[in-house]
Structures are given as structure tokens and as C-alpha cells.
Amino acid sequence: MTTLSAIEWTDMTWSPIIGCTRVTSGCDRCYAIRTAHIRSHHPSPKMATAFAGTTHTVDGRLDWTGRVNVVESRLLDPLRKTKPQKVFVNSQSDLFHDQVPDEVIARILAVMALTPRHTYQVLTKRHGRMRALLDSPNFRLLCEEAEARLVADETTPGLSRYEREQHRTKWWSSFAKPLPNLWLGVSVEDQKTADMRIPALLTTPAAVRWISAEPLLGPIDLYGPLVPGRGRPKLTYWLTGRPGWGPEKTDDRGRVFQELTVDPRLDWVVAGGESGPGARPAHPDWFRTLRDQCAQSDVPFLFKQWGQWGPEAPVDRDGRLVRGPRGEGMTIANDGTLYAPGDLDYPDGPRYGEAVRAGHSRARLTQVYSVGKKAAGRELDGRTHDEYPAPRAATSWTENSR
């Protein structure tokens, strides 16, 4: 089933795969687990079957079982949609989960190839399998075969006789280059996961590459982490592309030369805080850093939400601070350390200034409040950030994986 979505950066969700497993701390409050558990008890047998067996309770905690269901009835849904849409793929799973067969992933990419009117947004935490498959000639052959079978099958919806004939007679492959309507992304929640997943993304063939820093659970420096007293000893070039020299070429006079090249970079950055039960707060500076670095590098930035915790204190009609669960406040340091009210002895002025300059964990303290996703909103420093990438056609597999 492809359904309209309330997610700020997409139009619709398409979930032909149900079920997953946790891999890092970003999965701890996964909304999809709760959704899958509820829908597995849905009164509709069709809905309940799609989610059956994907969740269980262990030691009082609701979790994934590791079972992954392929919902055949949903695989062709985008072909039935004629209006161009931004489609978030597998909001209830991970396309590159190890329990998803290669053939199923190939069929999903074949549907994408047959519906160039749509833009497909894929997010994964399985960066290793993503890169291995999309850089594999054998997998591209699987995709070509899956596309051919769909075109040949007269029951495949959404394809006119003219379109079928076009696909049968074309001499080039839809997968000779990375699909131009596939935005390939990785989820990152802190510097550690960014350091693991972003390099893999940048060496994976793709027309558009992006990251979702949600839920943001720690600071991320996309230029390369700052080290006190040493600056940035290792630049990442994630936002600008690493400059270098291309292969040697010979001109018509026999002169050998090399052209300046730039490696792939991120095309889009989305960031947001955590929402839902037990949500963890984010320091406002974490979002500001991502926003400012994107602005400096001319990379589109979208701030999705503050989440459960926001920087604005809840007040009543008389301007008095609201007490109770909705007005719960916490002090958060830039390193993510949380202090409950009364637990923190603030440094005095001169010492606090030294702590800020030294990057101490108790520096850059700020107060955040548990007010709920709707009340917290999605304005960052007084404005909404809703920027999107301009798709760029990939020229070759080699150049996109350099």
C-alpha cells in the first residue's frame, strides 16, 4: 500500500517490505516497531498478515523479531500512480536488510526504472550491503531481468502498449547508469555513525546522495571533527567533494595532461529531533552546525522538526512558565550530557568562559523543554528550512563510485 505521508520531506510512503532489526542507538525509539505491533492486530486480515510475526516483547521491551515480510500486493503500487510524487521507500523496514533477497531489491528498483515520473527516497543503515549491491554488475543484471519480466507480463499495471513496445525494443539498459530518480541516503545520528555510513554512501553509484540526521543524538561535523588545539586534522570533503587529478589523457598533438576532478559529495542534508515516547533531546547547536555548514557549501538543508523537545519554554496566557509533564525542562550540554533541574552547579563567569573556549563537556549549556512535536514546531532560529536537491544525472558507474 502506498499512502499519503505526514513526513515533511516526502509525499507518499511505499512499504513493500515489513520488518527490521535494531543496529545502533538511533533505532532505540523506532516508531516503526510500535506501528508494526499495532497493525499486526489490525481487524483487516490483509493488514494483519502483512505485519504478522515482525514484532515481539522481550524482557518487557517491544522489539523486532528479525522476520522480514515481503508484501507482494504492494510491489507494483507506484505503477498505478500517475501523478508525479516523492516516494519514501520502506518506512517500515530497510531496503538493504540482510533478510531481503537480492531478487526482491532488484524488482523494487525495476519498478523505479519503469516510473521515471516519481522520485524515490531511500534511507538505509545497512551501508555495506547497499554499496556492495549497487556497485555489482551481477546485481545490475538482476535489475535488468526484473524490469524485462515486468514489461513482458501483461498483468503489470500502468504500462500502455506503446510503453511496453518501447521497453522491448530499446537497445540500452535502464541500469547502465544509476537511476536518476533514485535519491540514495543513509541515516546518521551522531559522529560515529556519520563516519561509518557517509563514506560508504559517497562511494556508492547514485545520482543524488543524502543523509537524514534524525534522530540527532549527538553533534556531527560534516567538515571533519574539530580537535582542541589542532583544528581539523582530517578534512572529510563530504559537502564539497575531494579535489584531485583525473586519469591521464592525450590531446591531438600527443601532449599528456590531467583534468582537475572533484569526488562525489552530499546533495542534501535533512536533520531533526526525536519524537514519541521516551524521546531524547537534541542540543540546538547540533542543528545550527549542520545548517551553517550546508549554507557555506551550497548544499540544500531541510530541518524536519525539533521533536518532543524544543528550546522555547512553555508559558500560559499570563506568560508564566507551565509546570508539570508538558513543561519538563532539562539542561543539555553540547556533548549530549543531560542535567535535570537542580542537578547542575553552573560554573562562574570566568571559569565558564574557559570551559567554552576549551570545548569542555559542560560548555554551551542550554535549556530544552518537553512540549511535544506540534508545539515545538520546525522553525530553527525563526525560519523554516525546506530546501531540496536538484537531481543531477549520473554520467557513469565509474565516476559515481570514484
Side-chain angles (χ1 to χ4, degrees):
M1 180 174 61
T2 305
T3 58
L4 293 175
S5 176
I7 299 173
E8 288 76 1
W9 42 260
T10 197
D11 299 321
M12 310 189 81
T13 59
W14 174 37
S15 297
I17 301 169
I18 308 293
C20 202
T21 47
R22 303 178 197 258
V23 289
T24 54
S25 59
C27 304
D28 288 348
R29 307 285 191 274
C30 178
Y31 72 90
I33 299 176
R34 299 191 302 273
T35 301
H37 177 71
I38 293 170
R39 292 181 180 174
S40 67
H41 297 86
H42 198 276
S44 165
K46 184 177 181 180
M47 179 71 76
T49 300
F51 289 85
T54 58
T55 65
H56 62 173
T57 302
V58 180
D59 297 329
R61 183 195 194 194
L62 189 64
D63 204 352
W64 297 112
T65 62
R67 171 176 166 178
V68 172
N69 295 337
V70 178
V71 189
E72 292 286 339
S73 61
R74 299 182 180 182
L75 276 169
L76 305 183
D77 278 356
L79 287 158
R80 300 182 176 95
K81 306 291 182 180
T82 57
K83 180 182 177 181
Q85 303 281 353
K86 292 192 295 292
V87 182
F88 177 29
V89 182
N90 283 333
S91 63
Q92 300 292 318
S93 185
D94 189 318
L95 181 62
F96 298 103
H97 191 282
D98 59 8
Q99 294 301 308
V100 181
D102 291 358
E103 293 76 12
V104 172
I105 302 174
R107 288 171 66 191
I108 290 173
L109 265 66
V111 171
M112 296 180 188
L114 290 171
T115 51
R117 60 188 174 274
H118 300 317
T119 296
Y120 293 93
Q121 299 160 311
V122 170
L123 276 176
T124 184
K125 291 184 174 73
R126 275 78 178 179
H127 53 281
R129 190 178 185 209
M130 169 194 71
R131 180 170 56 185
L133 281 182
L134 296 185
D135 205 23
S136 165
N138 290 334
F139 179 71
R140 294 199 290 276
L141 181 60
L142 275 183
C143 294
E144 292 167 0
E145 293 171 346
E147 182 187 26
R149 284 194 297 270
L150 287 175
V151 172
D153 187 348
E154 294 296 331
T155 66
T156 299
L159 293 177
S160 67
R161 181 176 299 178
Y162 173 73
E163 288 174 315
R164 292 178 191 275
E165 190 61 27
Q166 271 193 320
H167 281 95
R168 289 192 187 103
T169 58
K170 72 179 185 180
W171 55 267
W172 67 93
S173 166
S174 301
F175 300 93
K177 299 177 183 178
L179 294 176
N181 61 334
L182 170 55
W183 295 4
L184 190 64
V186 292
S187 298
V188 297
E189 62 262 26
D190 53 24
Q191 192 70 48
K192 180 180 178 181
T193 52
D195 290 343
M196 286 192 302
R197 295 172 185 157
I198 294 177
L201 173 65
L202 294 180
T203 53
T204 300
V208 173
R209 299 175 178 86
W210 64 294
I211 64 169
S212 174
E214 184 195 10
L216 191 55
L217 304 178
I220 297 176
D221 192 328
L222 295 175
Y223 285 163
L226 281 166
V227 177
R230 295 179 57 198
R232 286 191 173 87
K234 183 179 180 181
L235 294 175
T236 61
Y237 298 98
W238 293 342
L239 291 176
T240 58
R242 185 184 299 275
W245 295 105
E248 289 187 353
K249 297 183 179 181
T250 304
D251 64 14
D252 54 1
R253 296 185 180 181
R255 294 174 298 187
V256 177
F257 67 97
Q258 289 176 286
E259 293 180 340
L260 181 66
T261 62
V262 179
D263 283 351
R265 69 169 191 168
L266 294 176
D267 300 296
W268 191 31
V269 172
V270 174
E274 193 167 53
S275 58
R280 295 157 287 186
H283 196 293
D285 283 354
W286 301 344
F287 299 120
R288 293 183 180 118
T289 295
L290 294 176
R291 175 201 62 194
D292 294 346
Q293 291 185 345
C294 286
Q296 291 165 9
S297 302
D298 197 26
V299 173
F301 174 76
L302 188 147
F303 181 56
K304 180 176 177 288
Q305 63 179 36
W306 283 104
Q308 177 67 26
W309 297 80
E312 299 296 328
V315 295
D316 60 21
R317 294 179 180 178
D318 298 320
R320 294 174 298 191
L321 184 67
V322 175
R323 301 293 180 182
R326 282 189 58 78
E328 178 187 358
M330 297 284 285
T331 300
I332 184 170
N334 190 52
D335 68 348
T337 303
L338 290 174
Y339 301 94
D343 288 351
L344 180 67
D345 293 326
Y346 286 89
D348 58 32
R351 286 189 175 182
Y352 186 60
E354 292 174 6
V356 170
R357 288 189 291 274
H360 193 274
S361 63
R362 290 176 65 183
R364 295 165 73 181
L365 302 169
T366 192
Q367 192 81 358
V368 289
Y369 302 89
S370 178
V371 296
K373 175 181 175 178
K374 183 176 180 180
R378 53 190 302 261
E379 286 191 358
L380 179 58
D381 294 334
R383 62 160 289 195
T384 301
H385 296 268
D386 271 328
E387 300 171 5
Y388 289 86
R392 294 179 292 104
T395 55
S396 71
W397 289 96
T398 303
E399 289 188 19
N400 274 273
S401 58
R402 183 175 57 242

